[in-house]
């Protein structure tokens, strides 16, 4: 049930439990009344006077007036500008949502309530400060569309809007970020942050200092995507050892004899017999020896790729390349790859040419990147189920905004079957019934393979249907446009589950009345997903803006979610029927399936908390290193001690070099040395993390061991920077009064590229066994003082002239 549909009793319980969810929005309603009072006056102004009012408002803010004080005027101006330029007057509910976002909350608006327009007023208000603000969208298309669509509103009010797109040149990006409001994906903004961290001239940066970010589809970006690391890589000149041979040998291993998997299908490991067999096949000696760490990792990756990653479910093969399928959206996850050799193992499994990984130059999780913004807010249709997590990780409360019109969609109970065959037959029969009546049907499936299998079954039964999945995503606009037409049958993965606007009666809505009379769009889900939020997003394709609609989920006891968590073990034999063609009558079965879904959600939260604890140790170090590099590049900081020593070494060996050139050369030497040593440090961290899960078999806590090793490695990294920077200064090559950077071996990477890695491909139990998970909190509590002391130690050393200031 969505938050907007919660009963008064449930809301009262939420308040008593202290859940970070606001329903009343009393303070926002007071401002809303002020906005309404200003509306008649603004309607009487011509465009020039309206523009002048907005310019005057900006001057007042620049003169020191608080944003909260001018909020009613700013929102009233946006409402009037939208009415004139777009022909759309923001509803009161959209104004309430915008006010909640301005105050740093995640606004929950039901699907179809107009989030894009609701975001304009808080964006304009916060842009008045002159520091820029970012609207972070779900994909490049939405960033471009929303900037162009809302651009006339901003321009009438004297503000500018820009958008950032993948493939843009640095100059175009810089101009886009100089706009008052910049629309971009969180990924592109994060990649620009990483690229800015490698510039050799301060003026080459494209980003301004962060101010305020408003995140669209906030639960997806702030939670589902947030654990994903963004990576910038450069040429390494190294070739990965061939995983093809390992993949071929792994195919000969026998399940249950040579390797075992855990009961939840998260982890896979060689048995003693399997280890002996692989050692003989590889002629490698002991597989668990220190010198064979990399080889053992390749074997484990090959096993995982072969037995856990399924084609047309976890990935597709297109154009001779592996393309990952995002679990939450059903779309191809652009520029994403699996980490730590797993991608190469998968390419070997499919017989594809391996793609280069390169040398990792920088990395940051989306979660840590988004936390860099001093102010953060968001909007989505499914915020309430994630309220605790949004508050714990970002300090964001959820504000539930009422719908503009009552939601009349009927969400029917699940229909449960004993096996997939019965569910499939029932699905085809139900779709045929609705299709014969002329009602449009949208069917949401869990994978590419399932969507194609169901489509084949429908066609065999004589029904035409459209299929939308990661393989044919180029047809998305056409398929979605026709999905609401009478008699339309659309089979889709999660691609149609978020941000998709299906209009009743087709794209031109000419037959809207006929579809409304038939009950609106009928949404059928073929599975329960691992998150209730995904199910809710799918249901939300129907019943938008007061439209009629119907939704129902079809589930079988053979579905992955049900089998993985042993629902049949939770239901007594008396309640669990034998295999049958019809639906299961016992409501207890549906209750236990819902319980399994909650178990998965809890485990996913635990995974995210564990991943955060892993990445947070490195983030403390990244921030310290970033500050060190910035001061070395720009000067004026405590790092000038190392720069001065390098400059002195250069003066001693090249006395003819001008003083300014010596200092510039010394700064570049220090910056490039930091970059190279940090890249090596990240490589070491990746190795430690990749191997840390093995410690669980020895009864140790992998997280604690990882944090201790990373803490030990950082001072070594710092010392290495100092030693290598001074050595590089000694060996600097100068020809005719000009530094020869190539001859000195101090060129930056000639090419860089960015990608994302799918974090935690081995599942939760790869890091913590169920018995050890209660110790996670203790491990994190012990680690934080260690990290804090480490940060303070670095701060003390650098204030003594050794390095950069740290903000632990």
């Amino acid at each position: 049930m969505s938050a907007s549909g919660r009963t008064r009793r449930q809301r009262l319980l939420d308040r008593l439990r202290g859940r970070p969810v606001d329903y009343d929005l009393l303070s926002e309603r007071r401002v809303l009344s002020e906005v309404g009072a200003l509306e008649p006056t603004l309607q009487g102004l011509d465009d020039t006077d309206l523009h002048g009012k907005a310019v005057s408002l900006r001057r007042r803010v620049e003169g020191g007036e608080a944003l909260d004080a001018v909020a009613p005027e700013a929102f009233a101006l946006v409402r009037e500008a939208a009415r004139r330029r777009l022909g759309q007057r923001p509803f009161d509910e959209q104004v309430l949502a915008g006010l909640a976002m301005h105050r740093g909350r995640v606004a929950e608006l039901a699907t179809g309530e107009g989030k894009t327009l609701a975001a304009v007023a808080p964006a304009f208000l916060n842009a008045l400060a002159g520091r820029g603000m970012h609207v972070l969208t779900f994909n490049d298309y939405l960033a471009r569309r929303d900037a162009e669509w809302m651009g006339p509103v901003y321009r009438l009010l004297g503000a500018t809007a820009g958008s950032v797109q993948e493939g843009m040149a640095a100059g175009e990006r810089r101009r886009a970020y100089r706009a008052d409001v910049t629309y971009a994906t969180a990924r592109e903004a994060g990649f620009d942050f990483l690229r800015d961290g490698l510039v050799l001239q301060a003026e080459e940066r494209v980003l301004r200092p962060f101010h305020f970010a408003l995140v669209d589809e906030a639960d997806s970006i702030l939670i589902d995507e947030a654990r994903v690391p963004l990576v910038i890589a450069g040429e390494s000149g190294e070739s990965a050892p061939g995983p093809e041979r390992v993949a071929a040998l792994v195919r000969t291993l026998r399940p249950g004899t040579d390797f075992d998997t855990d009961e939840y299908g998260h982890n896979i490991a060689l048995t003693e017999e399997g280890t002996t067999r692989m050692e003989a096949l590889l002629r490698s000696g002991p597989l668990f020896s220190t010198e064979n760490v990399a080889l053992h990792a390749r074997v484990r990756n090959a096993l995982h790729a072969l037995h856990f990653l399924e084609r047309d479910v976890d990935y597709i093969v297109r154009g001779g390349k592996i393309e990952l399928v995002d679990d939450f959206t059903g779309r191809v996850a652009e520029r994403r790859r699996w980490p730590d050799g797993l991608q190469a193992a998968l390419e070997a499994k499919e017989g594809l040419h391996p793609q280069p990984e390169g040398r990792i130059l920088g990395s940051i999780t989306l979660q840590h990147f988004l936390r860099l913004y001093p102010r953060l807010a968001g909007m989505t249709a499914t915020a309430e189920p994630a309220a605790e997590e949004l508050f714990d990780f970002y300090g964001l409360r959820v504000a539930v905004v009422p719908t503009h019109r009552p939601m009349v969609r009927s969400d029917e109970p699940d229909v449960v079957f004993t096996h997939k065959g019965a569910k499939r037959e029932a699905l085809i029969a139900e779709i045929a019934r609705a299709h014969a009546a002329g009602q449009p049907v949208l069917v949401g499936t869990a994978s590419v393979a399932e969507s194609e299998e169901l489509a084949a079954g429908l066609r065999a039964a004589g029904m035409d249907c459209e299929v939308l999945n990661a393989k044919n995503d180029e047809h998305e606009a056409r398929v979605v446009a026709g999905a609401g037409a009478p008699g339309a049958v659309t089979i889709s993965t999660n691609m149609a589950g978020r941000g998709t606007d299906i209009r009743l009666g087709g794209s031109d809505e000419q037959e809207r009345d006929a579809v409304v009379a038939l009950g609106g769009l009928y949404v059928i889900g073929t599975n329960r997903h691992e998150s209730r939020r995904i199910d809710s997003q799918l249901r939300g394709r129907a019943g938008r803006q007061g439209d009629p609609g119907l939704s129902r989920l079809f589930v079988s006891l053979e579905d992955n979610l049900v089998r993985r968590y042993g629902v049949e073990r939770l239901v007594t034999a008396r309640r669990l029927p034998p295999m049958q063609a019809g639906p299961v009558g016992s409501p207890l079965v549906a209750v236990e399936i819902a319980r399994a879904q909650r178990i998965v959600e809890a485990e996913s939260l635990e995974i995210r908390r564990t991943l955060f604890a892993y990445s947070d140790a490195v983030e403390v170090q990244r921030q310290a290193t970033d500050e060190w590099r910035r001061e070395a590049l720009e000067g004026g900081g405590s790092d000038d001690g190392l720069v001065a020593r390098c400059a002195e070494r250069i003066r001693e060996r090249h006395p003819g070099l001008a003083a300014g050139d010596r200092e510039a050369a010394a700064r570049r030497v220090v910056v490039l040395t930091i970059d190279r040593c940090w890249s090596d440090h990240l490589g070491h961290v990746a190795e430690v993390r990749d191997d840390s899960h093995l410690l669980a078999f020895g009864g140790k806590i992998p997280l604690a061991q990882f944090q201790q090793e990373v803490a030990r490695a950082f001072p070594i990294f710092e010392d290495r920077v100092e030693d290598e920077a001074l050595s590089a200064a000694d060996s600097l090559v100068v020809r005719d009064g000009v530094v020869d950077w190539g001859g000195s071996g101090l060129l930056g990477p000639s090419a860089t590229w960015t990608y994302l890695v799918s974090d935690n491909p081995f599942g939760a139990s790869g890091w913590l066994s169920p018995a050890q998970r209660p110790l996670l909190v203790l491990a994190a509590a012990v680690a934080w003082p260690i990290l804090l002391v480490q940060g303070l130690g670095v701060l003390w050393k650098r204030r003594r002239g050794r390095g950069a200031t740290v903000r632990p």
Side-chain angles (χ1 to χ4, degrees), residues 260-333:
D260 286 322
T261 60
D262 67 18
E263 61 176 317
Y264 296 121
H266 283 322
N267 208 355
I268 190 166
L270 291 172
T271 62
E272 185 174 348
E273 184 174 342
T275 300
T276 301
R277 188 173 181 204
M278 283 303 296
E279 288 171 350
L281 292 170
L282 292 165
R283 300 178 183 177
S284 61
L287 198 55
F288 288 91
S289 63
T290 303
E291 59 270 21
N292 281 331
V293 167
L295 181 58
H296 177 256
R298 286 199 295 276
V299 172
R300 183 167 50 85
N301 283 329
L303 277 168
H304 189 94
L306 182 61
H307 296 285
F308 283 172
L309 297 180
E310 187 176 346
R311 185 169 177 167
D312 290 341
V313 176
D314 301 296
Y315 65 94
I316 63 172
V317 178
R318 185 165 60 179
K321 294 182 180 180
I322 299 289
E323 294 185 334
L324 279 66
V325 177
D326 189 287
D327 291 341
F328 294 95
T329 67
R331 302 173 187 274
V332 166

Side-chain angles (χ1 to χ4, degrees), residues 698-709:
K700 297 181 180 180
I701 301 174
L703 172 61
Q705 297 294 317
F706 170 83
Q707 291 172 324
Q708 290 174 16
E709 176 56 31

Side-chain angles (χ1 to χ4, degrees), residues 735-769:
R735 305 183 194 279
D736 300 324
V738 178
V739 177
D740 181 357
W741 294 107
S744 303
L746 287 170
L747 291 173
S750 59
T752 62
W753 60 93
T754 55
Y755 60 89
L756 300 94
V757 292
S758 287
D759 212 345
N760 192 36
F762 301 106
S765 59
W767 290 348
L768 287 175
S769 66

Side-chain angles (χ1 to χ4, degrees), residues 157-173:
L157 301 178
T160 56
S163 69
V164 176
Q165 301 285 292
E166 182 181 350
M168 264 188 173
E172 293 177 291
R173 290 173 182 271

